[in-house]
């Protein structure tokens, strides 16, 4: 079933829409939630919440890219759930490691007036990512959008883990320099 | 919410086309396989062309001239299968094959082999760049092609002598890699900010220690010796090589390339 057909089912308020979405994008959303939560129970609930959120959002929304749109919902829900569960030390350390790496991208400084809207910053980072060659850009997004482990990315890209880490390090250093140059404070 | 969490949340708003592109990273690998097959096909064509050429030459100078096909060739009924030299040059371009086979070597930051082929070494007298590089050699590693690295023992500079922002950054990345994932089994070689070929297999610390001169090796044994450290080191030709660095009791350092010797083109 195509994305357009699935979206039409939502707009027609047909309950088949959720089954069709789960069939087509269940694995995709599950992997995103799992990378953040590392708990089968939480992952299952998070993906289920994604379908409900989609049901409530369509209509009026009509996503241009259904897969990425669902992935964003899953990612945000998983992040909220991870925050709620943090006291229980769930996540196997993966999320903590990932956030610790991202600390390296944060420019120093303390000027709240320079803070921009999240969407503006994201658009700026998107523009910067587009200046990178395809491989390091993909590695960066697989790590910090999809939450994949270094090992997974190395397997996916057919590279050694050292090369992936090296590419990530260079990308983080580049992003930090870019944010500092643009005067953006996160 | 920490700032890192905030940044992670912001990254969730990246452009959809970027996220979609990264959803199918396998495409990068498919390109790589395509490149390998293309390189194989090109080699097969080249071999067939050379074989035809040698047969023709044998036929025109030897006994084959009296064979059944020779008369036709002489009389012009069969066109000589002389390969076009420009075609041979094209299909045997090692830099082009390497770039097609290794996606990380594509693009402005990662076109090490082809970029190097067009740039003479900074400190060397002008000469054939391909000869300087040592050519692309099939090292029998599953059909992959590794370029040999031009290297002379006296080229490797002490870390402090070869200090540069790029070297410092690489060493920081290496330290982080070792801290979080242990000693890697392969690493890139860099020149002028670009990777040079696919990641090279590394030798172990013990293998490197065995390559030290006897007197130095004896000093690294025992309680006074410091452990070897995996670092990037600069060479006078501008390469940044992964190296094992040993510190002797008197504070002096010995640096042994961590790249397997067969990938190093030693001497002049």
């Amino acid at each position: 079933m195509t994305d357009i057909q699935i979206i039409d089912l939502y707009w027609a308020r047909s309950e088949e829409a959720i089954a069709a979405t789960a069939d087509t994008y269940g694995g995709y959303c599950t992997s995103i939630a799992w990378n953040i939560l590392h708990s089968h129970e939480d992952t299952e609930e998070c993906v289920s919440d994604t379908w409900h959120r989609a049901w409530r959002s369509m209509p009026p929304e009509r996503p241009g890219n259904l897969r990425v749109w669902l992935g964003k919902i899953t990612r945000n829900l998983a992040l909220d759930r991870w925050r709620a569960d943090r006291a229980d030390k769930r996540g196997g350390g993966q999320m903590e490691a990932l956030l610790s790496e991202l600390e390296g991208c944060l420019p120093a400084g303390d000027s709240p007036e320079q803070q921009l809207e999240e969407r503006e910053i994201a658009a700026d980072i998107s523009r910067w990512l587009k200046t990178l060659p395809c491989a390091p850009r993909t590695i960066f997004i697989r790590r910090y959008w999809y939450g994949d482990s270094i090992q997974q990315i190395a397997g996916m890209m057919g590279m050694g883990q050292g090369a992936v880490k090296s590419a990530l390090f260079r990308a983080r250093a580049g992003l930090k320099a870019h944010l500092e140059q643009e005067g953006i404070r996160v | 919410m920490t700032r890192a969490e905030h940044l992670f949340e912001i990254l969730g708003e990246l452009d959809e086309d970027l996220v979609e592109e990264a959803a199918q990273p396998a495409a990068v690998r498919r390109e790589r396989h395509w490149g390998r097959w293309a390189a194989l096909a090109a080699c097969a064509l080249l071999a067939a062309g050379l074989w035809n050429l040698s047969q023709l030459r044998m036929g025109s100078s030897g006994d084959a001239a009296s064979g059944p096909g020779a008369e036709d060739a002489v009389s012009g009924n069969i066109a000589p299968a002389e390969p076009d030299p420009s075609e041979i040059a094209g299909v045997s371009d090692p830099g082009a094959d390497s770039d097609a086979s290794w996606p990380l070597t594509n693009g402005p930051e990662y076109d090490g082999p082809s970029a190097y082929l067009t740039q003479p070494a900074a400190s060397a007298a002008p000469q054939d760049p391909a000869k300087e590089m040592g050519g692309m050699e099939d090292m029998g590693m599953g059909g992959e092609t590794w370029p040999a690295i031009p290297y002379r023992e006296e080229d490797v500079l002490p870390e402090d002598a070869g200090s540069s922002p790029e070297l410092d950054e690489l060493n920081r990345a290496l330290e982080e890699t070792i801290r979080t994932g242990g000693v890697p089994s392969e690493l890139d070689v860099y020149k002028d900010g670009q990777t040079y070929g696919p990641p090279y297999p590394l030798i172990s610390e013990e293998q490197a220690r065995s390559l030290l001169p006897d007197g130095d090796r004896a000093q690294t044994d025992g309680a006074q010796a410091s452990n070897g450290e995996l670092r990037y080191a600069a060479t006078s030709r501008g390469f940044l090589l992964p190296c094992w660095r040993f510190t002797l009791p008197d504070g002096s350092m010995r640096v042994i390339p961590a790249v397997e010797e067969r990938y190093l083109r030693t001497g002049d």
Side-chain angles (χ1 to χ4, degrees):
Chain A
M1 192 175 284
T2 65
D3 284 0
I4 292 173
Q5 288 171 322
I6 295 173
I7 293 168
D8 285 344
L9 285 174
Y10 278 103
W11 276 68
R13 307 312 289 160
S14 165
E15 291 185 5
E16 281 179 43
I18 291 182
T21 311
D23 275 353
T24 310
Y25 295 118
Y28 177 76
C29 292
T30 298
S31 70
I32 293 172
W34 171 262
N35 284 343
I36 294 174
L37 297 167
H38 277 256
S39 153
H40 290 291
E41 187 186 347
D42 285 350
T43 297
E44 200 175 315
E45 287 176 13
C46 180
V47 172
S48 178
D49 289 348
T50 301
W51 310 149
H52 289 122
R53 177 74 65 89
W55 179 259
R56 288 202 305 273
S57 304
M58 291 188 286
E61 286 196 52
R62 187 175 275 279
N65 185 326
L66 183 60
R67 170 159 66 174
V68 175
W69 185 79
L70 290 167
K72 274 187 184 178
I73 294 176
T74 307
R75 190 178 184 275
N76 289 336
L77 289 172
L79 187 57
D80 289 345
R81 189 175 283 265
W82 173 80
R83 283 181 183 135
D85 291 351
R86 187 162 34 179
D88 296 338
K89 299 289 182 191
R90 289 184 187 173
Q94 158 85 356
M95 191 62 188
E96 286 79 358
L98 196 154
L99 291 175
S100 160
E101 289 170 22
L102 278 179
E103 294 277 1
C105 299
L106 296 168
D110 187 22
S111 47
E113 68 278 8
Q114 289 179 330
Q115 291 188 23
L116 301 174
E117 291 296 322
E118 288 184 3
R119 282 179 189 276
E120 288 176 53
I121 299 175
D124 187 79
I125 295 174
S126 293
R127 282 192 293 277
W128 172 78
L129 279 169
K130 286 174 185 173
T131 66
L132 296 184
C134 180
R137 180 170 66 229
T138 300
I139 290 169
F140 184 90
I141 294 172
R142 290 302 318 185
R143 179 69 174 153
Y144 301 118
W145 200 96
Y146 288 95
D148 286 342
S149 68
I150 304 285
Q151 194 178 9
Q152 284 173 315
I153 297 170
M156 241 175 249
M157 304 291 291
M159 302 163 61
Q161 292 187 41
V164 171
K165 287 175 185 172
S166 183
L168 282 172
F169 181 85
R170 287 198 294 271
R172 289 197 303 271
L175 177 57
K176 181 178 182 181
H178 173 77
L179 293 176
E180 282 174 345
Q181 187 184 344
E182 297 294 315
I184 296 172
R185 178 172 147 69
V186 177
Chain B
M1 180 168 60
T2 66
R3 291 171 69 202
E5 280 176 55
H6 189 209
L7 180 57
F8 185 78
E9 203 168 71
I10 287 171
L11 291 175
E13 297 297 325
L14 289 178
D15 279 3
E16 287 189 352
D17 52 347
L18 288 173
V19 179
E20 177 66 27
E21 175 194 58
Q24 297 159 326
V28 176
R29 296 188 75 187
R30 278 199 292 275
E31 282 173 20
R32 173 176 160 176
H33 290 299
W34 178 90
R36 283 182 193 163
W37 286 112
L40 268 177
C43 288
L45 275 174
L46 177 62
L50 289 175
W51 185 81
N52 276 342
L53 182 62
S54 66
Q55 289 299 104
L56 274 174
R57 282 186 179 156
M58 280 175 66
S60 63
S61 62
D63 296 335
S66 59
E71 195 178 315
D72 287 339
V74 170
S75 64
N77 290 339
I78 297 176
E82 187 81 24
D84 179 354
S86 64
E87 284 178 14
I88 293 177
V91 295
S92 63
D93 178 0
D97 286 350
S98 171
D99 280 354
S101 302
W102 291 90
L104 267 185
T105 61
N106 285 334
E109 277 190 38
Y110 293 96
D111 58 350
S114 58
Y116 186 71
L117 276 169
T118 60
Q119 295 169 4
S123 61
Q127 55 182 293
D128 176 10
K131 186 180 172 189
E132 163 71 10
M133 192 184 75
M136 308 289 284
E137 296 178 8
D138 183 352
M139 305 307 288
M141 300 288 288
E144 305 296 0
T145 302
W146 261 270
I149 306 164
Y151 158 76
R152 294 177 305 201
E153 283 191 13
E154 62 271 27
D155 274 350
V156 177
L157 303 174
E159 193 182 330
D160 51 352
S163 182
S164 71
E166 188 190 7
L167 184 60
D168 294 344
E169 184 190 316
L170 281 171
N171 278 322
R172 276 198 301 274
L174 191 53
E175 281 169 11
E176 185 186 284
T177 299
I178 292 169
R179 184 171 52 78
T180 57
V183 177
S185 59
E186 55 183 26
L187 278 174
D188 291 317
V189 170
Y190 295 87
K191 182 178 171 68
D192 299 331
Q194 297 175 334
T195 54
Y196 179 60
Y200 289 82
L202 300 183
I203 61 173
S204 68
E205 180 186 344
E206 280 316 304
Q207 285 173 296
R209 195 186 300 275
S210 72
L211 296 174
L212 287 168
D214 289 345
D216 292 342
R217 187 168 62 248
Q219 292 186 67
T220 67
D221 295 333
Q224 288 185 321
S226 69
N227 289 324
E229 285 182 287
L230 188 57
R231 310 285 295 179
Y232 272 97
T235 73
S236 59
R237 296 184 183 189
F239 284 91
L240 300 179
L241 285 176
C243 288
W244 283 104
R245 185 183 68 184
F246 298 94
T247 308
L248 303 184
D250 65 1
S252 62
M253 290 181 187
R254 300 290 181 270
V255 179
I256 300 288
V259 175
E260 287 185 25
E261 192 177 0
R262 57 185 172 148
Y263 299 117
L264 297 172
R265 188 175 74 84
T266 54
D268 295 324

